[in-house]
Structure formats: C-alpha cells, structure tokens
Amino acid sequence: MTAIHVSKESRFQQKLVAIRRHLHQYPELSHEEFETTAFIRSTLKAADIRIVSEFKLETGLIAEVGGLHGGPTLALRADIDALPIQEETGLSFASKHGGKMHACGHDFHTAALIGAALLLKEREHELAGSVRLVFQPAEEKAAGANKVIKTGALEGVKAIYGMHNKPDLPVGTIGIRSGPLMAAADGFLVELEGIGSHAAVPEASVDPVVAAAYLVTALQSIVSRSVSPLESAVVSVTRLHTGTAWNIIPEKAILDGTVRTFDNDVRTRVKQRFGDIVTGVAAAFGAQASFRWLQGPPPVHNDAALAEAAAKVAERIGLEVMAPKPSPAGEDFAFYQQQIPGFFAFIGTSGPHEWHHPAFDIDERALSVSALFFAELAVDELKRFAAER
C-alpha cells in the first residue's frame, strides 16, 4: 500500500499549518480554553460553518455542517486543551505562555478537525445528513467529554469518531482496531495512620513507613496473581510521602498512583483486590488505612462495524492501515462510547518524542492527511446510515 502523498505547498495544507501554529503558540489549560474557543469560532464563522448555540459550553463549542436534506447525524470530535509543561522544542512558533504547552498534540487535533470541517463545507450539498463538530475542552482532566454529553450534543447522533496523534507511527499511516484501544485510567490515594515515636524506640510505635513499604510490594501481586496472563493491567505507586526527620518515626504515610486496565471486569477485580490488600496490610502492622479510588475514564473500546468502515475509507485514500498495540494511556473519548457507538484512531505523525514530553512535536504533513480522512469517513458513513433508515 502506497502512503497518501501530502504536498507541503498546497494552499489547504498551508492554511492548516497556520491554524495549528497559532494554537500551538497560545496554549490554554483544561477549563481555561477561552481564547482557543474564540479562535475556533471565528475560523469556522469565516468559512460560514454554523455554530450550534443551544449546546452551551463555557469553553469548547459544537458546530455543524450539512443537514440540508435531512438525514442522520454523526459527530467528529477533537480535544482543545494543553498541558502545564514548559516547552523545550525551540520552534519559531513555540508557546508564548510560560509553563503551558501543547505537549499532547491537541493543537494538531483541533486544526485537523477544522480542516475536515472546511472540506465538508465544500461538499455540503451532497452530504446525506449532518456532521456535528465537537471541539471538546478539558480532555487532560478527563472532564470535558461529560460536559459535552450533559449539553445534549449526542442526542440523535448515530456514531462519534475521533483520533489521537501517534508519534511512533509515520505520516501516511493510521492505526485502526476494533475492541480495546486505550486503557481505563484510574487513580488512588492511600493514607496509613500509625503511632509516632523516637526512631530509637520503634517498639513504642506503629510504623507507617514499614507498612507502606510492604504495601507497595503487596500491590504488585494484583497483576501477577489476580489478573490472567492473557489479560492486562498496570498498578503503579508513583508517590510515597512520609516523615519529617531522620530520627522520628512518623504518624502517617501517604501513597498514590495509577491503575490501568483494558477490560471492565478486570477493572472491577483490580479495584476489589486493591481494597483487600490495603486493608489487610494495614491490619497486619496495626495501622489504620483509608483510601480513595479516583475513577477515571473507562477503556476506549471501538465498535467493530465503525472500525471496518474506517479501514475501508483509509485504504481508499491511500493510507497504510495497521493494527496498533493498545495504549495504556487514558482518553475521555471513552465516555462518548458509553452513550453511542464510537470509533477512535491513531494517526501517524512521525514525532520525535512521546506524548507529554517538553520537546514533543508532530510532522505537520499529517494535518491534511487527517482532515481528508475524517471528511471522507463522514461522507461515507452518512451514506451508510442513511441507507439503513
């Protein structure tokens, strides 16, 4: 399969590059995307793309193309927020906002969706239905998708489609798979309460440091002994905070971290075992334990029929289709998939670094590739859904 050819000189490509670079220079964090929203709105209005005002969002917006002849509605989604990272790319269009950066490529996602909207607008009269364009805030906080859902923006929508850039895939490649693609991303916070003492008199204490050390080790048995080798899970303790001085046994230890799973049954099982182990280890050392389970987004799980349709479109326009390994990263696109059928793809961007790296960047040739793919997918899927009515 020959990868799609992208001209850096095309007017369309240059327009998308300009949009992406503007967004990259002015990143905004989750729930703060006011100027980003205003820029998206003005760009869409300049192309005579209608903003759907009844779906009210404080940041982010919903727009629509098509619907001139009735028909079904589907949705395309991009996330718009940035990360609290100091940029180290050295790009001429690097972030002008200190400590904030589009280090996950949401500027790319937004520009590509604007590009798809522009292509669809050119073909509006031939669309067999409506394409709802979801510019979603606060993905990095796993809060934006639920905000969109609460507006009613998914009501009457047949299916929703989204994507994430993939730095380790070359431009012209798309990762498509049915079933699990990204993980449920949960967190935890454990507090172990003991009795403090002088470090030279440990028998007078209930030492939370020792209990915490055993707990970190014991939690690893969840994956090795409660999850089948044919299944997948990650339990990572990422912070252990305790003590104030070298000669004092403290009263409290705090641990937190993350749990990643790809299956809802495994997710439930891991949570149960986690609670059992925390309670048991604390009791074994005479400590008191409390923990909070921080529920994140569920797994991104692609509808098989949508994945098949996407693969056909990708092949037709010259993309190289491959089956990617599931990613243990989380994505709140999964909340949409709990409401309606959904499909999420990995778009190759030939990036030099992984997501959330301070020198993260993308190959901008992927902009028009992504825009074309999602525009063609929307056209085809509207025809398919219209024929099924």
Side-chain angles (χ1 to χ4, degrees):
M1 177 68 66
T2 302
I4 189 170
H5 175 70
V6 181
S7 170
K8 291 184 178 180
E9 289 74 35
S10 76
R11 184 176 299 179
F12 180 64
Q13 170 70 7
Q14 289 175 349
K15 183 177 183 66
L16 297 191
V17 167
I19 290 170
R20 182 255 168 168
R21 291 186 179 187
H22 174 88
L23 293 166
H24 192 86
Q25 285 183 297
Y26 302 101
E28 295 177 296
L29 304 182
S30 300
H31 307 296
E32 300 175 4
E33 312 97 326
F34 294 101
E35 292 302 320
T36 302
T37 301
F39 176 78
I40 296 168
R41 179 179 285 108
S42 65
T43 304
L44 295 177
K45 283 188 173 181
D48 198 29
I49 294 172
R50 63 185 179 277
I51 311 300
V52 187
S53 58
E54 58 260 38
F55 302 132
K56 297 185 183 303
L57 290 165
E58 187 176 11
T59 57
L61 61 85
I62 314 294
E64 272 192 8
V65 177
L68 302 182
H69 316 293
T73 300
L74 57 78
L76 303 179
R77 173 268 202 177
D79 38 15
I80 68 173
D81 54 330
L83 286 160
I85 293 175
Q86 181 64 41
E87 182 162 351
E88 298 176 4
T89 62
L91 294 168
S92 61
F93 53 91
S95 171
K96 294 182 180 295
H97 295 166
K100 301 176 185 179
M101 178 193 174
H102 273 295
C104 203
H106 295 185
D107 54 337
F108 164 74
H109 301 164
T110 302
L113 182 55
I114 291 174
L118 297 176
L119 293 174
L120 290 166
K121 183 64 179 178
E122 292 178 357
R123 304 173 63 182
E124 190 166 32
H125 286 277
E126 67 179 87
L127 296 179
S130 301
V131 181
R132 192 161 291 171
L133 308 160
V134 179
F135 293 91
Q136 180 210 298
E139 187 280 328
E140 295 294 352
K141 295 293 187 182
N146 282 323
K147 285 180 176 289
V148 170
I149 292 167
K150 287 178 182 178
T151 70
L154 295 191
E155 293 176 10
V157 175
K158 290 289 187 180
I160 187 166
Y161 307 79
M163 61 97 162
H164 205 291
N165 68 86
K166 202 70 167 68
D168 58 329
L169 298 181
V171 173
T173 302
I174 184 169
I176 294 177
R177 68 180 300 133
S178 61
L181 180 69
M182 299 184 75
D186 299 320
F188 57 83
L189 176 66
V190 178
E191 293 191 6
L192 295 170
E193 192 83 35
I195 297 173
S197 176
H198 194 291
V201 192
E203 71 276 13
S205 74
V206 173
D207 192 341
V209 177
V210 175
Y214 272 84
L215 179 57
V216 171
T217 302
L219 289 174
Q220 305 312 304
S221 71
I222 296 175
V223 174
S224 65
R225 288 297 176 268
S226 298
V227 178
S228 165
L230 302 179
E231 298 171 324
S232 181
V234 174
V235 178
S236 291
V237 178
T238 56
R239 185 177 68 135
L240 171 54
H241 178 75
T242 187
T244 57
W246 67 278
N247 60 348
I248 299 173
I249 293 175
E251 294 182 347
K252 182 182 291 188
I254 299 174
L255 305 88
D256 57 6
T258 189
V259 173
R260 306 295 169 110
T261 52
F262 291 94
D263 179 88
N264 285 322
D265 289 340
V266 174
R267 189 186 195 189
T268 300
R269 191 187 323 146
V270 169
K271 181 180 179 181
Q272 178 62 51
R273 290 295 299 135
F274 186 94
D276 292 344
I277 290 172
V278 168
T279 301
V281 168
F285 288 92
Q288 300 294 315
S290 62
F291 79 93
R292 286 193 293 143
W293 188 264
L294 309 172
Q295 190 95 338
V300 171
H301 195 279
N302 281 336
D303 179 270
L306 300 187
E308 181 181 359
K312 289 178 180 178
V313 170
E315 289 173 349
R316 190 183 75 230
I317 67 172
L319 287 170
E320 181 179 350
V321 179
M322 52 84 67
K325 294 180 180 178
S327 169
E331 237 292 348
D332 77 350
F333 186 86
F335 288 120
Y336 298 126
Q337 293 176 312
Q338 289 186 321
Q339 305 294 317
I340 59 175
F343 166 75
F344 200 74
F346 286 150
I347 298 288
T349 52
S350 302
H353 298 285
E354 191 48 86
W355 303 325
H356 296 206
H357 190 282
F360 174 89
D361 194 16
I362 57 100
D363 186 328
E364 292 176 326
R365 293 178 300 162
L367 286 164
S368 49
V369 170
S370 303
L372 176 62
F373 169 70
F374 279 99
E376 290 291 325
L377 181 60
V379 171
D380 277 25
E381 288 290 79
L382 283 175
K383 289 178 182 177
R384 182 168 72 89
F385 285 123
E388 292 175 354
R389 297 182 73 182

